[in-house]
Amino acid sequence: MSGDEALRRTFLARTGQWLALTLASPSWTLAQQKPGDDPFTLGVASGDPTPDGIVLWTRLAPDPLNGGGMPRAAVEVDWQVAADEGMRRVIQRGRATATPDLAHAVHVEVSGLDPARWYWYQFKTGSHLSPVGRTRTAPGATNPLNRLSFAFASCQHYEQGFYTAYQHMAEEDLDLVVHLGDYIYEGGIARDRPRLHNGPEIMSLADYRNRHALYKTDANMQRVHALFPWIVTWDDHELDNNYAAEIAEDNAPREGFLERRANAYQAYYEHMPLRRTSMPQGSSMQLYRRLAFGDLAEFSVLDTRQYRTDQPCGDGNKPQCAEALSPQGGVLGSEQERWFLDGLQRSQRRWNIIAQQILMAKIDRGSDEPLYSMDQWSGYEVARNRILRFLHERKVANPVVLTGDIHSNWAADLKADFADPKSPTIGSEFVGTSITSGGDGSDSNPQAAAAFSRNPHLHFYNAQRGYVRCAVTPEQWQSDYRVVDYVSKPGSPVKTRASFVVEAGRPGIQKA
Ligand code: FE
Ligand code: CA
C-alpha cells in the first residue's frame, strides 16, 4: 500500500465516522446533537476545479424529502478548508448565508489555493458539523502534467437499482469525476422496483427539490461526492424525457413548460457544486463551460438540451428524413457552438475532451433499412458534420468525445464520412453506460452483433451497469469499462469488462 493509498483508506474510514473525527478537531467541536436534527443529510460536494480554487457545496436539509425542514429564514453557515484530513491545519475559513429562496443550499467559491493539491473541507451551522469532504485543485494552466485520472458516469435512475457502481468508484485513484446527465429522473413511482421514487412525476420547484434530495441521500454517491471534485452537466431527465429547448416530450403548452423548466433548472443548480455563473435566470441556465488541467487536457462541457431544435422525423429510431438533414437543425444553438469551436481553435492542450450527452458517431441501429436515433447527433446531420469537419480541418489536437444517455457502453471512431471506412478518422468517442438505469443489464445483445456488421467504426458494445475510468498521459489515453454484475440488489463486485487506448496524434480507438 502506498502512502497515498494508506491516507485515502484512513480518510474513507473516517468519513464513515465523522462524528468521532470532528470531536477530535481542535478548531470546531460538536455540541450535543439530537437525532433528526442533522441539517447535513445530503452530504457535501465540490466541483469545477481551477488551479487556485474550487466550489464547495452543501444544503441544509434536516427533513430532506419534505421540503428540507428549515425555517423560512436565512441561516449562517461557516466553512473551512484544511491541508489535512483531520481539519487541523486550517488554511481558509469563511461564512456563507443559506437562504430559503435557494433551498438553503450553499455554494462557496474558494480561491487562493495552490494548484494540483488535495484539500479537505467542512461546514458548520449552529452546533452541527458536516462530514469532511476531500477535493483537489487543477494543475497550473500551462504546467506540464504527466497524468490525469478520472471516471465518468451518467443515468442513475434511483428506482432501477443500487448505486454499487459508486461504491466501487470511491475505491478508485481519481483526480475528478465527470457526470454526463440524468442525475435524477422525473417520473413517478413504478411497481416492483428495488427502490422507490418519492412521489408522482415532478413538476413544481418543491417536487424537483425533494427528488434531488432523495437521490442525494444515497450513501454510496455521497461518498464519491465527498472524495473527489465533480464536473457535471445535465441531460433530459433533469427536466423531462427527450425535451428539446422549450418543447416538452408530450408537447405540453410552452408557457407551462418554461415554468417547469425554471423549476428543474433551479433545483439542479441548488444541488450541484456549480459556480455563480451557472445561477439560473428565469427558465435559462448557462451550464456549458471549459475546464483545463495543466498542458494535458481541456474539457469542453456541453449542454445538448437547452438550445437544440426539436428532434426531427418524429423522434425515435428512424431513417434520416429530410428534416434530419436540414441545415436549420442544431444541437448546441449558435451561441454555444461558436463558443465551443472558438475554444477548440484556441486550445493549446494535448487532449481536447468533449464532455456531452448524446451519441455523436453515426450508428445505424436498423436490421434491414438504416435506422438512427433522432434524439442523438444523427438527428442533426448538418450540425454534426460541421463540428467534425472543424475538428479535422483546424487540426484540433486529439479530440475525445465522452457520452452518456443510452445506458450502454460503446466505443467508436468519429469518421469524416461514416459511410466510407477508408475516410479519415477524426476523433474517438467513448460512451459510458448507466449507473443503474435499465436495471441489471447484460453483456451481450443480439442487436449489437448486427450493429457491428453495419457500423465498421464501432469497436465495443456492452449493456451492463457501471462507469468508465480514464487515464490520460501525454502519449496515450486509456478507457477502462468498469461494470457490475447486477444492481437489483446491493453488493455486486466490479470488473473491467474492456479497455481501449487512443495514441496521441493517432485518432481512433485501439484495443488496449
Ligand atoms: Fe438516462
Ligand atoms: Ca437521457
Side-chain angles (χ1 to χ4, degrees):
M1 198 189 298
S2 70
D4 271 5
E5 175 65 8
L7 202 77
R8 193 177 62 83
R9 290 202 178 177
T10 318
F11 171 69
L12 281 175
R14 286 199 187 168
T15 47
Q17 305 162 7
W18 62 273
L19 279 174
L21 167 71
T22 51
L23 276 169
S25 159
S27 50
W28 280 352
T29 51
L30 192 65
Q32 278 292 318
Q33 200 157 316
K34 279 188 276 150
D37 263 8
D38 177 17
F40 296 108
T41 56
L42 305 180
V44 297
S46 68
D48 280 15
T50 61
D52 84 323
I54 195 84
V55 183
L56 306 180
W57 174 92
T58 192
R59 182 190 157 205
L60 309 180
D63 190 6
L65 305 186
N66 297 293
M70 290 294 289
R72 275 212 64 81
V75 175
E76 305 285 281
V77 181
D78 295 316
W79 56 269
Q80 49 187 30
V81 173
D84 66 309
E85 57 175 333
M87 298 300 297
R88 285 174 184 82
R89 284 181 288 137
V90 172
I91 48 174
Q92 275 198 48
R93 61 185 60 183
R95 177 167 282 188
T97 307
T99 60
D101 50 311
L102 289 175
H104 294 95
V106 178
H107 299 80
V108 178
E109 294 188 36
V110 182
S111 59
L113 301 176
D114 292 331
R117 273 200 51 183
W118 290 108
Y119 288 97
W120 287 261
Y121 61 95
Q122 190 173 28
F123 298 93
K124 176 174 185 277
T125 186
S127 58
H128 299 280
L129 284 177
S130 78
V132 174
R134 184 186 73 166
T135 193
R136 186 173 174 81
T137 48
T142 54
N143 289 6
L145 179 62
N146 290 326
R147 184 184 164 92
L148 180 71
S149 175
F150 68 95
F152 71 93
S154 63
C155 294
Q156 48 194 41
H157 200 303
Y158 185 84
E159 293 196 318
Q160 293 176 1
F162 292 90
Y163 292 172
T164 313
Y166 281 132
Q167 191 183 331
H168 295 295
M169 196 189 282
E171 299 292 320
E172 304 279 9
D173 177 15
L174 307 173
D175 298 306
L176 66 134
V177 171
V178 179
H179 198 286
L180 299 175
D182 289 358
Y183 191 99
I184 60 160
Y185 281 73
E186 80 283 19
I189 304 171
R191 265 177 235 278
D192 304 323
R193 293 273 173 81
R195 303 197 287 187
L196 293 178
H197 269 159
N198 52 341
E201 178 155 354
I202 52 178
M203 305 294 279
S204 69
L205 179 56
D207 293 344
Y208 278 98
R209 284 172 170 167
N210 288 338
R211 184 58 57 85
H212 271 282
L214 173 70
Y215 280 59
K216 274 275 197 303
T217 54
D218 184 276
N220 288 323
M221 187 170 74
Q222 277 195 14
R223 183 174 312 158
V224 180
H225 271 300
L227 278 170
F228 310 107
W230 286 37
I231 298 172
V232 301
T233 184
W234 56 35
D235 194 20
D236 50 340
H237 288 286
E238 280 85 353
L239 167 51
D240 180 34
N241 181 46
N242 281 18
Y243 82 96
E246 302 177 349
I247 303 159
E249 181 188 25
D250 60 1
N251 290 310
R254 180 177 174 276
E255 280 295 276
F257 186 68
L258 281 181
E259 206 179 299
R260 185 180 179 189
R261 193 173 98 167
N263 297 337
Y265 285 8
Q266 180 172 337
Y268 184 80
Y269 171 78
E270 288 169 351
H271 290 84
M272 296 296 149
L274 288 167
R275 291 183 184 274
R276 262 183 299 274
T277 46
S278 290
M279 178 92 81
Q281 309 289 327
S283 62
S284 306
M285 181 169 144
Q286 147 105 46
L287 193 55
Y288 62 83
R289 61 207 190 278
R290 211 170 274 128
L291 291 119
F293 291 83
D295 64 350
L296 185 65
E298 182 168 299
F299 287 84
S300 299
V301 182
L302 303 184
D303 173 354
T304 62
R305 289 288 163 192
Q306 191 174 183
Y307 314 103
R308 69 157 75 187
T309 55
D310 199 12
Q311 289 89 351
C313 321
D315 209 346
N317 280 354
K318 298 281 168 57
Q320 282 178 311
C321 68
E323 218 189 331
L325 309 172
S326 158
Q328 259 68 57
V331 172
L332 301 179
S334 53
E335 214 176 299
Q336 180 180 196
E337 187 172 315
R338 206 173 316 119
W339 163 90
F340 172 47
L341 299 182
D342 232 49
L344 290 175
Q345 166 100 50
R346 269 205 288 266
S347 167
Q348 299 291 314
R349 299 196 167 82
R350 175 72 69 131
W351 298 92
N352 286 287
I353 308 171
I354 301 162
Q356 52 100 56
Q357 294 73 36
I358 51 172
L359 189 65
M360 191 175 272
K362 188 169 188 175
I363 301 284
D364 173 5
R365 307 291 300 272
S367 49
D368 37 36
E369 66 170 345
L371 296 177
Y372 302 96
S373 168
M374 293 299 114
D375 188 51
Q376 300 168 355
W377 283 91
S378 288
Y380 306 86
E381 185 71 46
V382 174
R384 169 170 58 203
N385 287 342
R386 193 164 55 233
I387 286 161
L388 291 180
R389 201 178 328 115
F390 187 95
L391 294 173
H392 190 48
E393 285 172 1
R394 308 296 172 97
K395 301 187 167 57
V396 172
N398 300 304
V400 176
V401 174
L402 307 181
T403 302
D405 180 45
I406 46 174
H407 312 168
S408 38
N409 287 310
W410 308 66
D413 295 334
L414 296 169
K415 304 291 289 182
D417 178 359
F418 288 97
D420 175 11
K422 288 199 256 336
S423 75
T425 297
I426 291 171
S428 317
E429 180 172 17
F430 294 105
V431 182
T433 188
S434 62
I435 292 287
T436 52
S437 304
D440 286 338
S442 63
D443 190 14
S444 59
N445 175 326
Q447 281 178 337
F452 283 112
S453 65
R454 296 167 77 94
N455 302 281
H457 46 284
L458 180 62
H459 294 272
F460 179 55
Y461 173 87
N462 159 281
Q464 290 174 286
R465 308 286 82 93
Y467 55 92
V468 184
R469 181 180 66 197
C470 303
V472 189
T473 70
E475 297 77 35
Q476 195 184 69
W477 176 297
Q478 177 157 339
S479 288
D480 300 320
Y481 287 85
R482 305 279 282 161
V483 300
V484 293
D485 293 334
Y486 49 85
V487 293
S488 53
K489 52 186 197 295
S492 170
V494 69
K495 64 168 187 266
T496 298
R497 171 62 184 79
S499 295
F500 296 93
V501 298
V502 180
E503 281 171 51
R506 191 179 159 201
I509 281 160
Q510 304 172 49
K511 199 114 193 122

